[in-house]
């Protein structure tokens, strides 16, 4: 029994540290990522101010990278406008889904040895273009983690003040 208390304490610490999430805040949205995820912002030479910085997220133990590009549209974005912005043939059915504070379309495909999951999601005038790509077969646990991150996307109300 004396050995049980230290083991229980270690188990509680492991559960607490493994479930920690960090909130990353950007001008038009915020997102939660789990422990170990790294991110970068790529400003590049953007000639159009409607586009936000390109945000890249990756886990050192993962096999892919999640990229998020925001766009500020001149008016509220309808389902039809967003569907027309996808690069998916109109004969392919895409279901409208909710992802955090945003709604839109998601599509998986493989091309030239890489696997992709793409989202085109919007909240009023803000559009987020999201791509997860991997050079290996995307594992279910990896997809679950990526979906959890995308589901955490929220409108950054501080930036709209």
């Amino acid at each position: 029994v004396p050995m049980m208390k230290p083991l229980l304490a270690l188990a509680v610490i492991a559960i607490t540290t493994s479930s920690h999430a960090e909130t990353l805040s950007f001008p038009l949205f915020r997102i939660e990522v789990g422990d170990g995820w790294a991110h970068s912002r790529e400003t590049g030479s953007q000639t159009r101010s409607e586009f936000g910085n390109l945000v890249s997220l990756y886990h050192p133990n993962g096999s892919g990278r999640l990229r998020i590009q925001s766009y500020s549209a001149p008016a509220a974005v309808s389902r039809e406008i967003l569907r027309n912005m996808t690069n998916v043939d109109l004969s392919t059915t895409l279901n409208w889904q909710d992802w955090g504070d945003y709604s839109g379309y998601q599509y998986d495909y493989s091309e030239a040895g890489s696997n992709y999951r793409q989202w085109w999601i919007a909240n009023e005038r803000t559009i987020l273009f999201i791509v997860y790509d991997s050079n290996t077969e995307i594992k279910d646990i990896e997809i679950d983690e990526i979906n959890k991150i995308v589901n955490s996307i929220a409108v950054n109300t501080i930036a709209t003040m």
Side-chain angles (χ1 to χ4, degrees), residues 120-151:
W120 300 267
I121 58 178
N123 181 305
E124 297 182 17
R125 293 183 37 223
T126 301
I127 301 171
L128 299 180
F129 303 105
I130 305 171
V131 178
Y132 181 74
D133 64 275
S134 177
N135 292 339
T136 63
E137 185 176 334
I138 302 173
K139 299 172 183 72
D140 287 342
I141 192 162
E142 200 170 353
I143 284 298
D144 289 345
E145 184 70 19
I146 296 303
N147 285 341
K148 186 176 175 182
I149 291 171
V150 176
N151 272 320

mmCIF file of all heavy atoms in Angstrom, residues 120-151:
data_model
loop_
_atom_site.group_PDB
_atom_site.id
_atom_site.type_symbol
_atom_site.label_atom_id
_atom_site.label_comp_id
_atom_site.label_asym_id
_atom_site.label_seq_id
_atom_site.Cartn_x
_atom_site.Cartn_y
_atom_site.Cartn_z
ATOM 1 N N TRP A 120 -12.499 24.218 -45.956
ATOM 2 C CA TRP A 120 -12.848 25.571 -46.378
ATOM 3 C C TRP A 120 -13.969 25.949 -45.431
ATOM 4 O O TRP A 120 -15.102 25.452 -45.561
ATOM 5 C CB TRP A 120 -13.341 25.596 -47.817
ATOM 6 C CG TRP A 120 -12.340 25.088 -48.815
ATOM 7 C CD1 TRP A 120 -11.439 25.838 -49.517
ATOM 8 C CD2 TRP A 120 -12.149 23.735 -49.235
ATOM 9 N NE1 TRP A 120 -10.701 25.006 -50.339
ATOM 10 C CE2 TRP A 120 -11.106 23.716 -50.179
ATOM 11 C CE3 TRP A 120 -12.735 22.518 -48.884
ATOM 12 C CZ2 TRP A 120 -10.657 22.560 -50.795
ATOM 13 C CZ3 TRP A 120 -12.288 21.360 -49.484
ATOM 14 C CH2 TRP A 120 -11.262 21.390 -50.434
ATOM 15 N N ILE A 121 -13.674 26.767 -44.442
ATOM 16 C CA ILE A 121 -14.674 27.081 -43.427
ATOM 17 C C ILE A 121 -14.792 28.596 -43.259
ATOM 18 O O ILE A 121 -13.837 29.331 -43.524
ATOM 19 C CB ILE A 121 -14.366 26.385 -42.079
ATOM 20 C CG1 ILE A 121 -12.986 26.769 -41.543
ATOM 21 C CG2 ILE A 121 -14.476 24.866 -42.236
ATOM 22 C CD1 ILE A 121 -12.645 26.147 -40.183
ATOM 23 N N ALA A 122 -15.968 29.037 -42.825
ATOM 24 C CA ALA A 122 -16.213 30.476 -42.705
ATOM 25 C C ALA A 122 -17.052 30.784 -41.481
ATOM 26 O O ALA A 122 -17.810 29.936 -40.989
ATOM 27 C CB ALA A 122 -16.926 30.994 -43.958
ATOM 28 N N ASN A 123 -16.887 32.014 -41.000
ATOM 29 C CA ASN A 123 -17.733 32.588 -39.966
ATOM 30 C C ASN A 123 -17.945 34.033 -40.381
ATOM 31 O O ASN A 123 -17.005 34.833 -40.363
ATOM 32 C CB ASN A 123 -17.073 32.503 -38.589
ATOM 33 C CG ASN A 123 -17.961 33.082 -37.498
ATOM 34 O OD1 ASN A 123 -18.395 34.223 -37.573
ATOM 35 N ND2 ASN A 123 -18.221 32.281 -36.486
ATOM 36 N N GLU A 124 -19.157 34.334 -40.826
ATOM 37 C CA GLU A 124 -19.512 35.651 -41.352
ATOM 38 C C GLU A 124 -18.568 36.038 -42.494
ATOM 39 O O GLU A 124 -18.622 35.441 -43.549
ATOM 40 C CB GLU A 124 -19.565 36.688 -40.234
ATOM 41 C CG GLU A 124 -20.650 36.373 -39.213
ATOM 42 C CD GLU A 124 -20.750 37.404 -38.121
ATOM 43 O OE1 GLU A 124 -20.218 38.525 -38.286
ATOM 44 O OE2 GLU A 124 -21.382 37.092 -37.095
ATOM 45 N N ARG A 125 -17.654 37.005 -42.280
ATOM 46 C CA ARG A 125 -16.764 37.474 -43.355
ATOM 47 C C ARG A 125 -15.385 36.822 -43.334
ATOM 48 O O ARG A 125 -14.563 37.088 -44.203
ATOM 49 C CB ARG A 125 -16.583 38.995 -43.265
ATOM 50 C CG ARG A 125 -17.856 39.767 -43.567
ATOM 51 C CD ARG A 125 -17.626 41.268 -43.549
ATOM 52 N NE ARG A 125 -16.343 41.648 -44.081
ATOM 53 C CZ ARG A 125 -15.541 42.565 -43.554
ATOM 54 N NH1 ARG A 125 -15.894 43.200 -42.468
ATOM 55 N NH2 ARG A 125 -14.382 42.852 -44.102
ATOM 56 N N THR A 126 -15.113 35.999 -42.342
ATOM 57 C CA THR A 126 -13.793 35.380 -42.237
ATOM 58 C C THR A 126 -13.822 33.971 -42.817
ATOM 59 O O THR A 126 -14.651 33.152 -42.440
ATOM 60 C CB THR A 126 -13.334 35.309 -40.766
ATOM 61 O OG1 THR A 126 -13.292 36.627 -40.236
ATOM 62 C CG2 THR A 126 -11.963 34.674 -40.655
ATOM 63 N N ILE A 127 -12.905 33.712 -43.735
ATOM 64 C CA ILE A 127 -12.751 32.389 -44.327
ATOM 65 C C ILE A 127 -11.407 31.834 -43.861
ATOM 66 O O ILE A 127 -10.405 32.560 -43.844
ATOM 67 C CB ILE A 127 -12.758 32.460 -45.872
ATOM 68 C CG1 ILE A 127 -14.058 33.076 -46.378
ATOM 69 C CG2 ILE A 127 -12.541 31.067 -46.476
ATOM 70 C CD1 ILE A 127 -14.042 33.380 -47.873
ATOM 71 N N LEU A 128 -11.402 30.565 -43.488
ATOM 72 C CA LEU A 128 -10.156 29.882 -43.159
ATOM 73 C C LEU A 128 -9.958 28.752 -44.168
ATOM 74 O O LEU A 128 -10.844 27.932 -44.371
ATOM 75 C CB LEU A 128 -10.182 29.313 -41.741
ATOM 76 C CG LEU A 128 -10.344 30.314 -40.607
ATOM 77 C CD1 LEU A 128 -10.355 29.593 -39.259
ATOM 78 C CD2 LEU A 128 -9.244 31.369 -40.627
ATOM 79 N N PHE A 129 -8.793 28.770 -44.811
ATOM 80 C CA PHE A 129 -8.390 27.693 -45.699
ATOM 81 C C PHE A 129 -7.394 26.858 -44.899
ATOM 82 O O PHE A 129 -6.371 27.374 -44.462
ATOM 83 C CB PHE A 129 -7.707 28.246 -46.955
ATOM 84 C CG PHE A 129 -8.559 29.220 -47.723
ATOM 85 C CD1 PHE A 129 -8.297 30.577 -47.667
ATOM 86 C CD2 PHE A 129 -9.616 28.781 -48.497
ATOM 87 C CE1 PHE A 129 -9.070 31.488 -48.369
ATOM 88 C CE2 PHE A 129 -10.399 29.680 -49.209
ATOM 89 C CZ PHE A 129 -10.127 31.037 -49.144
ATOM 90 N N ILE A 130 -7.710 25.591 -44.695
ATOM 91 C CA ILE A 130 -6.880 24.732 -43.853
ATOM 92 C C ILE A 130 -6.499 23.483 -44.645
ATOM 93 O O ILE A 130 -7.355 22.870 -45.288
ATOM 94 C CB ILE A 130 -7.631 24.319 -42.572
ATOM 95 C CG1 ILE A 130 -8.130 25.564 -41.819
ATOM 96 C CG2 ILE A 130 -6.741 23.462 -41.675
ATOM 97 C CD1 ILE A 130 -9.059 25.261 -40.663
ATOM 98 N N VAL A 131 -5.217 23.116 -44.574
ATOM 99 C CA VAL A 131 -4.745 21.909 -45.239
ATOM 100 C C VAL A 131 -3.859 21.140 -44.283
ATOM 101 O O VAL A 131 -2.953 21.712 -43.673
ATOM 102 C CB VAL A 131 -3.919 22.247 -46.510
ATOM 103 C CG1 VAL A 131 -3.386 20.969 -47.154
ATOM 104 C CG2 VAL A 131 -4.734 23.032 -47.509
ATOM 105 N N TYR A 132 -4.132 19.850 -44.158
ATOM 106 C CA TYR A 132 -3.220 18.956 -43.455
ATOM 107 C C TYR A 132 -2.635 18.033 -44.503
ATOM 108 O O TYR A 132 -3.372 17.414 -45.273
ATOM 109 C CB TYR A 132 -3.934 18.129 -42.382
ATOM 110 C CG TYR A 132 -2.971 17.227 -41.649
ATOM 111 C CD1 TYR A 132 -2.071 17.749 -40.727
ATOM 112 C CD2 TYR A 132 -2.926 15.869 -41.909
ATOM 113 C CE1 TYR A 132 -1.158 16.943 -40.078
ATOM 114 C CE2 TYR A 132 -2.020 15.052 -41.256
ATOM 115 C CZ TYR A 132 -1.139 15.596 -40.352
ATOM 116 O OH TYR A 132 -0.230 14.791 -39.718
ATOM 117 N N ASP A 133 -1.304 17.976 -44.591
ATOM 118 C CA ASP A 133 -0.678 17.087 -45.558
ATOM 119 C C ASP A 133 0.363 16.221 -44.872
ATOM 120 O O ASP A 133 0.999 16.632 -43.904
ATOM 121 C CB ASP A 133 -0.060 17.872 -46.715
ATOM 122 C CG ASP A 133 1.061 18.770 -46.275
ATOM 123 O OD1 ASP A 133 0.769 19.898 -45.836
ATOM 124 O OD2 ASP A 133 2.226 18.354 -46.363
ATOM 125 N N SER A 134 0.492 15.000 -45.387
ATOM 126 C CA SER A 134 1.428 14.037 -44.835
ATOM 127 C C SER A 134 1.993 13.184 -45.960
ATOM 128 O O SER A 134 1.259 12.810 -46.881
ATOM 129 C CB SER A 134 0.716 13.148 -43.809
ATOM 130 O OG SER A 134 1.586 12.163 -43.320
ATOM 131 N N ASN A 135 3.286 12.878 -45.882
ATOM 132 C CA ASN A 135 3.911 12.019 -46.894
ATOM 133 C C ASN A 135 3.699 10.544 -46.599
ATOM 134 O O ASN A 135 4.074 9.699 -47.386
ATOM 135 C CB ASN A 135 5.419 12.302 -46.976
ATOM 136 C CG ASN A 135 5.676 13.678 -47.546
ATOM 137 O OD1 ASN A 135 4.820 14.256 -48.212
ATOM 138 N ND2 ASN A 135 6.841 14.220 -47.289
ATOM 139 N N THR A 136 3.124 10.242 -45.439
ATOM 140 C CA THR A 136 2.826 8.857 -45.078
ATOM 141 C C THR A 136 1.325 8.710 -44.933
ATOM 142 O O THR A 136 0.595 9.705 -44.919
ATOM 143 C CB THR A 136 3.501 8.479 -43.737
ATOM 144 O OG1 THR A 136 2.967 9.302 -42.700
ATOM 145 C CG2 THR A 136 5.009 8.652 -43.806
ATOM 146 N N GLU A 137 0.876 7.469 -44.829
ATOM 147 C CA GLU A 137 -0.550 7.244 -44.610
ATOM 148 C C GLU A 137 -0.946 7.888 -43.289
ATOM 149 O O GLU A 137 -0.283 7.701 -42.272
ATOM 150 C CB GLU A 137 -0.844 5.748 -44.570
ATOM 151 C CG GLU A 137 -2.317 5.441 -44.474
ATOM 152 C CD GLU A 137 -2.589 3.950 -44.526
ATOM 153 O OE1 GLU A 137 -1.780 3.219 -45.101
ATOM 154 O OE2 GLU A 137 -3.625 3.542 -43.980
ATOM 155 N N ILE A 138 -1.996 8.686 -43.313
ATOM 156 C CA ILE A 138 -2.432 9.397 -42.109
ATOM 157 C C ILE A 138 -3.102 8.405 -41.172
ATOM 158 O O ILE A 138 -4.073 7.750 -41.540
ATOM 159 C CB ILE A 138 -3.383 10.560 -42.469
ATOM 160 C CG1 ILE A 138 -2.690 11.525 -43.435
ATOM 161 C CG2 ILE A 138 -3.820 11.298 -41.218
ATOM 162 C CD1 ILE A 138 -3.594 12.616 -43.981
ATOM 163 N N LYS A 139 -2.562 8.299 -39.973
ATOM 164 C CA LYS A 139 -3.085 7.363 -38.982
ATOM 165 C C LYS A 139 -4.330 7.944 -38.313
ATOM 166 O O LYS A 139 -4.480 9.153 -38.205
ATOM 167 C CB LYS A 139 -2.014 7.079 -37.926
ATOM 168 C CG LYS A 139 -0.755 6.442 -38.505
ATOM 169 C CD LYS A 139 0.335 6.367 -37.436
ATOM 170 C CE LYS A 139 1.624 5.820 -37.982
ATOM 171 N NZ LYS A 139 2.339 6.700 -38.856
ATOM 172 N N ASP A 140 -5.220 7.041 -37.851
ATOM 173 C CA ASP A 140 -6.463 7.479 -37.208
ATOM 174 C C ASP A 140 -6.196 8.381 -36.012
ATOM 175 O O ASP A 140 -6.870 9.386 -35.828
ATOM 176 C CB ASP A 140 -7.300 6.275 -36.770
ATOM 177 C CG ASP A 140 -7.945 5.561 -37.947
ATOM 178 O OD1 ASP A 140 -8.034 6.175 -39.033
ATOM 179 O OD2 ASP A 140 -8.352 4.401 -37.786
ATOM 180 N N ILE A 141 -5.182 8.035 -35.196
ATOM 181 C CA ILE A 141 -4.898 8.841 -34.009
ATOM 182 C C ILE A 141 -4.440 10.248 -34.415
ATOM 183 O O ILE A 141 -4.777 11.235 -33.781
ATOM 184 C CB ILE A 141 -3.869 8.148 -33.080
ATOM 185 C CG1 ILE A 141 -3.829 8.853 -31.733
ATOM 186 C CG2 ILE A 141 -2.500 8.078 -33.719
ATOM 187 C CD1 ILE A 141 -3.193 8.020 -30.635
ATOM 188 N N GLU A 142 -3.721 10.324 -35.526
ATOM 189 C CA GLU A 142 -3.276 11.616 -36.036
ATOM 190 C C GLU A 142 -4.471 12.434 -36.540
ATOM 191 O O GLU A 142 -4.588 13.619 -36.258
ATOM 192 C CB GLU A 142 -2.281 11.365 -37.173
ATOM 193 C CG GLU A 142 -1.387 12.501 -37.496
ATOM 194 C CD GLU A 142 -0.297 12.074 -38.464
ATOM 195 O OE1 GLU A 142 -0.161 10.883 -38.785
ATOM 196 O OE2 GLU A 142 0.424 12.968 -38.905
ATOM 197 N N ILE A 143 -5.365 11.782 -37.267
ATOM 198 C CA ILE A 143 -6.570 12.464 -37.769
ATOM 199 C C ILE A 143 -7.427 12.934 -36.598
ATOM 200 O O ILE A 143 -7.962 14.040 -36.618
ATOM 201 C CB ILE A 143 -7.371 11.533 -38.716
ATOM 202 C CG1 ILE A 143 -6.663 11.472 -40.079
ATOM 203 C CG2 ILE A 143 -8.807 12.009 -38.895
ATOM 204 C CD1 ILE A 143 -6.564 12.804 -40.809
ATOM 205 N N ASP A 144 -7.541 12.112 -35.551
ATOM 206 C CA ASP A 144 -8.310 12.525 -34.373
ATOM 207 C C ASP A 144 -7.725 13.791 -33.766
ATOM 208 O O ASP A 144 -8.454 14.713 -33.395
ATOM 209 C CB ASP A 144 -8.343 11.412 -33.316
ATOM 210 C CG ASP A 144 -9.199 10.231 -33.739
ATOM 211 O OD1 ASP A 144 -9.995 10.376 -34.698
ATOM 212 O OD2 ASP A 144 -9.069 9.161 -33.114
ATOM 213 N N GLU A 145 -6.396 13.869 -33.668
ATOM 214 C CA GLU A 145 -5.732 15.045 -33.097
ATOM 215 C C GLU A 145 -5.929 16.269 -33.995
ATOM 216 O O GLU A 145 -6.229 17.365 -33.514
ATOM 217 C CB GLU A 145 -4.243 14.760 -32.890
ATOM 218 C CG GLU A 145 -3.493 15.882 -32.219
ATOM 219 C CD GLU A 145 -3.852 16.074 -30.746
ATOM 220 O OE1 GLU A 145 -4.402 15.165 -30.116
ATOM 221 O OE2 GLU A 145 -3.568 17.177 -30.235
ATOM 222 N N ILE A 146 -5.793 16.091 -35.295
ATOM 223 C CA ILE A 146 -5.991 17.194 -36.247
ATOM 224 C C ILE A 146 -7.433 17.684 -36.187
ATOM 225 O O ILE A 146 -7.696 18.891 -36.146
ATOM 226 C CB ILE A 146 -5.617 16.754 -37.684
ATOM 227 C CG1 ILE A 146 -4.129 16.416 -37.769
ATOM 228 C CG2 ILE A 146 -5.993 17.816 -38.708
ATOM 229 C CD1 ILE A 146 -3.176 17.504 -37.361
ATOM 230 N N ASN A 147 -8.395 16.759 -36.176
ATOM 231 C CA ASN A 147 -9.806 17.152 -36.083
ATOM 232 C C ASN A 147 -10.081 17.900 -34.784
ATOM 233 O O ASN A 147 -10.859 18.856 -34.769
ATOM 234 C CB ASN A 147 -10.720 15.934 -36.199
ATOM 235 C CG ASN A 147 -10.823 15.428 -37.614
ATOM 236 O OD1 ASN A 147 -10.530 16.135 -38.576
ATOM 237 N ND2 ASN A 147 -11.224 14.187 -37.754
ATOM 238 N N LYS A 148 -9.459 17.477 -33.689
ATOM 239 C CA LYS A 148 -9.625 18.152 -32.400
ATOM 240 C C LYS A 148 -9.124 19.598 -32.487
ATOM 241 O O LYS A 148 -9.765 20.524 -31.996
ATOM 242 C CB LYS A 148 -8.867 17.377 -31.320
ATOM 243 C CG LYS A 148 -9.065 17.887 -29.932
ATOM 244 C CD LYS A 148 -8.332 16.969 -28.945
ATOM 245 C CE LYS A 148 -8.409 17.516 -27.546
ATOM 246 N NZ LYS A 148 -7.679 16.679 -26.593
ATOM 247 N N ILE A 149 -7.992 19.796 -33.145
ATOM 248 C CA ILE A 149 -7.441 21.148 -33.317
ATOM 249 C C ILE A 149 -8.397 21.994 -34.156
ATOM 250 O O ILE A 149 -8.747 23.114 -33.779
ATOM 251 C CB ILE A 149 -6.042 21.090 -33.960
ATOM 252 C CG1 ILE A 149 -5.027 20.488 -32.975
ATOM 253 C CG2 ILE A 149 -5.592 22.482 -34.412
ATOM 254 C CD1 ILE A 149 -3.670 20.189 -33.585
ATOM 255 N N VAL A 150 -8.850 21.467 -35.287
ATOM 256 C CA VAL A 150 -9.752 22.228 -36.163
ATOM 257 C C VAL A 150 -11.072 22.517 -35.450
ATOM 258 O O VAL A 150 -11.620 23.603 -35.568
ATOM 259 C CB VAL A 150 -9.956 21.509 -37.511
ATOM 260 C CG1 VAL A 150 -10.975 22.246 -38.377
ATOM 261 C CG2 VAL A 150 -8.625 21.392 -38.266
ATOM 262 N N ASN A 151 -11.575 21.558 -34.668
ATOM 263 C CA ASN A 151 -12.813 21.778 -33.916
ATOM 264 C C ASN A 151 -12.669 22.845 -32.842
ATOM 265 O O ASN A 151 -13.663 23.388 -32.369
ATOM 266 C CB ASN A 151 -13.299 20.478 -33.269
ATOM 267 C CG ASN A 151 -14.178 19.689 -34.196
ATOM 268 O OD1 ASN A 151 -14.995 20.246 -34.914
ATOM 269 N ND2 ASN A 151 -14.012 18.380 -34.177
#
